Amino acid sequence: MTATLAHVVHAEWTKFRTVRGWVIGVVVAALMPVLFALLVGVSSDQKGSPPVPVGPGGEPVTDSFYFVHQPLTGNGSITVSVSALRSSIPERPGDLRPGTVPWAKAGIIVKESTRQGSPYAAIMVTGSHGVRMQDNYVNDTAGLPGPVSAASVRRLRLDRSGEVITGYASADGTRWTKVGTVRVRGLGPTAQGGLFVASPPSVDGMGTRGSVSTAVFGDLRIRGRWAGAGGNWTGGQVGAESPSFSGYPRNTSGSFTGAGSDGSFTVIGAGDIAPAVRDTLPTGGTLGEILTGTFAALIVVIVVGALFITTEYRKNLIHVTLAAGPGRSRVLVAKALVLGGVTFAAGFAGAGVAVPLGERLARANGVYIFPVASSTELRVELGIAALLATASILALCVGTVSRHSAGAVTTVVVAIVLPHILIAIPFMPARVSNVLAQVTPGAAFAVQQTLVPYHQVTSNYTPYYGYYPLAPWAGFAVLAGYAVASLAAAALLLRRRDA
């Protein structure tokens, strides 16, 4: 009588739970993420570090720039022309060289206050991306293209009507193009408005170097209830002083000069107004770093997965197992279901404890953890469980093909873990890292990704910093594809070879 798949699964489950070493291995795999999360949380101590600014949406932001401003009460507008935006990049202390900073910004802004993270809307010229309108750090709208110069002046205007801000741009001061209209909640009855210059770090290989930018403004006009009525502009740095200025000549510090009656200003600034990314917050952390114990758990489940089949070859029990049910492929599928189910449950339990425990300990020690929604946390925990389960099934299939536990374990560890170790090397070229994270089984580590890349922020968007080229479940699908192909190959060999 042919045994049903349910009967074979039950037999394999009974076999699995009666081998103490395999059960202990799965328990250890569940504990690894928890243990490493505990160690990471306890060993990290960054108390006293400056707080990370948080934007209106709760996201971490970079909010550091030079601001020439005065209060605007109620509705009003500000118009200005920009005839130059020049950037400099330091080569060594005291030595600046001209350079292009694509997202250097110079323009006009209306901001709730000078407090970091406060809501705002701004229209600006940029180093390489033309006119842009941005608001609340994460929103960006393109306007007129092309660089600014004395021969190609850009005129900008912001109109405020309550919480509604509209940005306009013009190449001649006559024909105006609306770039965008946004609602800035929490702007308050009196906001700060004026000119600004920001100059984000320049990405150089795997590192960044601070930059300084200078803008020339002219024909400044205001309408509405401005406290200074056109004069008495106040210049100052929003946020911490930029490290770009440290050790450089005095004239590179943030400042402004105004000619007075003709409404012209020269403003020098550094920093950025943008969402924070991983390498702009070197003291921060992610869920992926809390879950470093996944590596240890992965090796454990790979060993268990290989032994689940190779032990039968070593003890010459495979013929007894196959004789118990005439469907050889059915036996392999049953083993995969049992092994996958057990390791999935263990991985989900371990990650489910490790994530909140690691977050709480890290934050208690002053470590900033990039915030994620509860749905994202659940996705990461399910992803880790799926990663461990699929890796164990891959080890089972490779073990079926090789019939040797050491060879199977080595093969799977090299296929999954080695690529991820390589892409974690800081100086690995981005192109190589991205290829490894797309075509090898290590692509499955994308399930840990929680960071969002932003097109308006130049950064090192590589797996080393937690930015994977594939979406989380697409990365997992690469590993699943290897597992399915291995399962098919193992089933074919099992039918032909092990008679």
Side-chain angles (χ1 to χ4, degrees):
M1 181 177 180
T2 301
T4 65
L5 179 61
H7 287 123
V8 181
V9 168
H10 183 268
E12 292 300 328
W13 162 242
T14 302
K15 186 186 303 180
F16 185 92
R17 65 184 176 84
T18 54
V19 179
R20 182 177 301 177
W22 298 345
V23 175
I24 292 175
V26 172
V27 172
V28 169
L31 292 177
M32 285 294 101
V34 180
L35 177 60
F36 276 76
L38 181 64
L39 293 174
V40 170
V42 171
S43 62
S44 302
D45 188 358
Q46 295 175 4
K47 291 180 179 178
S49 299
V52 176
V54 176
E59 67 286 334
V61 300
T62 300
D63 196 8
S64 177
F65 61 98
Y66 198 82
F67 193 15
V68 181
H69 60 97
Q70 59 180 262
L72 167 63
T73 300
N75 300 334
S77 69
I78 178 170
T79 305
V80 75
S81 63
V82 188
S83 58
L85 176 59
R86 299 181 295 270
S87 299
S88 298
I89 301 171
E91 290 187 334
R92 55 184 179 273
D95 186 7
L96 296 171
R97 65 170 177 83
T100 299
V101 179
W103 284 104
K105 303 169 183 177
I108 48 183
I109 184 172
V110 174
K111 187 172 169 65
E112 182 265 334
S113 69
T114 57
R115 174 182 60 84
Q116 285 186 294
S118 59
Y120 76 94
I123 191 165
M124 66 203 73
V125 298
T126 62
S128 299
H129 299 283
V131 172
R132 318 293 291 202
M133 183 169 181
Q134 298 181 350
D135 68 282
N136 288 351
Y137 307 94
V138 298
N139 302 312
D140 171 71
T141 303
L144 298 176
V148 65
S149 67
S152 181
V153 177
R154 291 290 182 264
R155 291 161 177 83
L156 309 173
R157 185 171 86 232
L158 277 185
D159 289 344
R160 178 192 180 185
S161 178
E163 292 184 334
V164 177
I165 306 292
T166 303
Y168 300 88
S170 172
D172 57 12
T174 301
R175 295 183 297 273
W176 290 86
T177 301
K178 183 170 75 171
V179 180
T181 298
V182 299
R183 180 176 295 276
V184 184
R185 300 188 184 279
L187 200 56
T190 298
Q192 295 293 322
L195 313 177
F196 80 96
V197 173
S199 191
S202 175
V203 175
D204 182 16
M206 288 299 294
T208 57
R209 289 188 290 173
S211 67
V212 178
S213 293
T214 302
V216 178
F217 299 92
D219 195 25
L220 176 62
R221 302 177 185 180
I222 57 176
R223 179 180 60 81
R225 295 173 56 192
W226 293 83
N232 299 322
W233 292 94
T234 299
Q237 178 76 22
V238 171
E241 292 290 338
S242 170
S244 303
F245 299 139
S246 178
Y248 296 117
R250 184 176 179 180
N251 63 1
T252 61
S253 61
S255 63
F256 85 99
T257 56
S261 59
D262 64 351
S264 64
F265 290 85
T266 298
V267 183
I268 302 173
D272 201 6
I273 316 173
V277 294
R278 183 64 181 85
D279 60 350
T280 63
L281 292 178
T283 60
T286 64
L287 294 189
E289 291 166 75
I290 290 175
L291 290 167
T292 53
T294 301
F295 289 100
L298 186 63
I299 293 173
V300 173
V301 299
I302 288 172
V303 171
V304 172
L307 290 176
F308 194 31
I309 184 69
T310 58
T311 298
E312 299 202 36
Y313 284 109
R314 190 176 69 251
K315 295 185 177 181
N316 202 27
L317 298 175
I318 189 67
H319 300 296
V320 176
T321 299
L322 296 178
R328 296 171 186 269
S329 298
R330 188 176 300 170
V331 172
L332 186 60
V333 170
K335 283 182 175 292
L337 290 173
V338 169
L339 183 64
V342 171
T343 51
F344 182 90
F348 185 60
V353 173
V355 168
L357 175 64
E359 284 184 307
R360 180 174 300 179
L361 290 174
R363 287 170 177 155
N365 284 289
V367 179
Y368 183 82
I369 301 296
F370 276 80
V372 298
S374 56
S375 58
T376 302
E377 282 195 2
L378 178 61
R379 188 261 297 162
V380 171
E381 293 163 3
L382 290 171
I384 293 299
L387 167 62
L388 295 178
T390 307
S392 69
I393 293 172
L394 179 59
L396 170 75
C397 297
V398 174
T400 303
V401 173
S402 69
R403 297 187 288 187
H404 296 286
S405 55
V409 170
T410 301
T411 299
V412 179
V413 167
V414 168
I416 300 178
V417 177
L418 182 59
H420 194 70
I421 292 175
L422 291 176
I423 65 178
I425 297 174
F427 302 106
M428 179 67 69
R431 182 176 299 178
V432 175
S433 294
N434 287 330
V435 169
L436 290 173
Q438 287 176 303
V439 302
T440 70
F445 280 99
V447 297
Q448 297 183 140
Q449 179 166 259
T450 58
L451 301 179
V452 178
Y454 295 92
H455 70 270
Q456 71 270 33
V457 181
T458 302
S459 183
N460 291 303
Y461 292 122
T462 64
Y464 174 77
Y465 287 100
Y467 299 93
Y468 291 82
L470 296 178
W473 293 116
F476 169 74
V478 175
L479 173 61
Y482 279 96
V484 170
S486 298
L487 185 63
L492 180 63
L493 285 175
L494 198 64
R495 287 198 303 267
R496 292 183 176 181
R497 182 187 61 193
D498 298 302

